Amino acid sequence: MRIGPYQLANKVICAPMAGVTDHTFRELCRRFGAALAVSEMLSSNPLVWQSEKSQNRMGHRQESGIRSVQIAGADPQQMAEAAQYNVDIGADIIDINMGCPAKKVNKKLAGSALLQYPDLVQQIVRAVVDAVKVPVTLKIRTGWDTDNRNGIQIARIAQDNGIQALAVHGRTRTCMYKGEAEYDTIRTIKQSVSIPVIANGDITGPEKARQVLDYTGADAIMIGRAAQGRPWIFREVVHYLATGDKLAPPAIAEVRQIMLEHVQGLHQLYGEHAGYRIARKHVGWYLAEHDTLGVFRSEFNGIECAKQQLDALNDYFYQLAAT
């Protein structure tokens, strides 16, 4: 699959997830085989660009691989300026967020709220495409609600106004993340446009990835929540799509090594004081399979020191290996 001048190494992409797909997480996902790892969304409001949170998200030139940066907003001119700014600091691809269902985003008419207003979608897409010389992609949902699945209309607007690849989550905005993703709309969208289409939603493993690709005819699949605490899912899916064989799950020793590297990376990215708080949710995801009762997680969440976090994780894994 190509996005403008960029040939992706495979058909497996890491979805942008607010508060999750920071630099540390993206690097891990790429290392395990993700052909592209899209940044968590950045606000198009220039008043927040100098905040600590935004600055942590804007270190594009430090990124390995293709740097795809997602921007969010509802004002065409601001979105154009945000695209220009991020290209200037290293973005290779600009991705427009019209898929986020969060209330705090939608109340600003950003994210999937924009699907209610096709004319505004066209204005934003055209403004961003005209503002930059790099490829522009778009991420959407199938529509606003189940009575208004207008993903096909939005896809055609995207194609007609210069979008070079389209990712579609198989739920509407009002569905949030409830129920099951549906792929009929994604399949119809793929049949309705000629630009690459990426299928997203409930792709939890290698077999599901194969099923979704075969059913929708999509050019690639995008994995989001299933990669939380499991970045090696990209290795598993890429291998299965290429060979038809399933890889064995990682050994406990490898999980320990990956998680410690991830936690140390978070401490470094955010600083020790913020890093240990952000690490808590990631550790919870990594250990969901092992710490089923949440006993260790409860203890871990009470730790307020980066070094003590690492010591506690080492002790936990040594005990786990011993049993």
Side-chain angles (χ1 to χ4, degrees), residues 86-294:
N86 281 284
V87 169
D88 288 344
I89 60 174
D92 296 319
I93 296 171
I94 293 295
D95 184 60
I96 301 174
N97 183 323
M98 294 189 188
C100 179
K103 289 182 179 178
K104 68 179 182 180
V105 175
N106 284 194
K107 72 180 182 181
K108 298 177 182 178
L109 202 62
S112 55
L114 288 165
L115 301 178
Q116 300 172 97
Y117 307 101
D119 289 344
L120 182 54
V121 168
Q122 182 173 5
Q123 292 172 33
I124 291 171
V125 167
R126 176 45 58 191
V128 173
V129 168
D130 287 347
V132 294
K133 294 182 180 179
V134 304
V136 180
T137 60
L138 175 66
K139 189 169 192 292
I140 66 171
R141 287 190 163 223
T142 56
W144 174 251
D145 58 32
T146 53
D147 294 324
N148 296 279
R149 285 197 175 103
N150 63 336
I152 298 167
Q153 178 190 15
I154 300 297
R156 287 173 174 157
I157 290 171
Q159 176 173 268
D160 292 346
N161 288 276
I163 291 296
Q164 297 197 37
L166 177 70
V168 187
H169 183 105
R171 289 181 174 85
T172 67
R173 186 272 162 189
T174 55
C175 290
M176 300 294 284
Y177 295 99
K178 298 174 183 176
E180 296 181 356
E182 59 93 8
Y183 306 108
D184 291 334
T185 305
I186 300 176
R187 183 180 187 179
T188 306
I189 287 172
K190 174 56 188 171
Q191 295 168 348
S192 303
V193 295
S194 58
I195 59 174
V197 173
I198 303 157
N200 176 226
D202 292 355
I203 299 173
T204 54
E207 297 98 329
K208 187 65 175 289
R210 179 79 272 165
Q211 291 168 9
V212 171
L213 280 170
D214 289 345
Y215 183 75
T216 62
D219 300 275
I221 52 102
M222 182 174 272
I223 297 174
R225 289 175 294 159
Q228 293 174 351
R230 192 181 159 201
W232 52 84
I233 190 175
F234 297 101
R235 176 175 68 188
E236 296 172 345
V237 172
V238 170
H239 182 81
Y240 184 82
L241 293 179
T243 68
D245 297 326
K246 291 186 67 175
L247 290 174
I252 289 294
E254 186 181 11
V255 173
R256 169 186 169 273
Q257 180 183 356
I258 294 165
M259 186 174 63
L260 286 173
E261 180 184 338
H262 192 168
V263 170
Q264 287 174 312
L266 293 172
H267 293 165
Q268 182 177 0
L269 179 63
Y270 296 101
E272 289 194 0
H273 296 296
Y276 75 75
R277 291 193 296 272
I278 292 168
R280 290 169 178 166
K281 63 185 176 187
H282 289 277
V283 168
W285 291 325
Y286 276 106
L287 298 182
E289 180 182 345
H290 306 288
D291 183 33
T292 54
L293 298 178

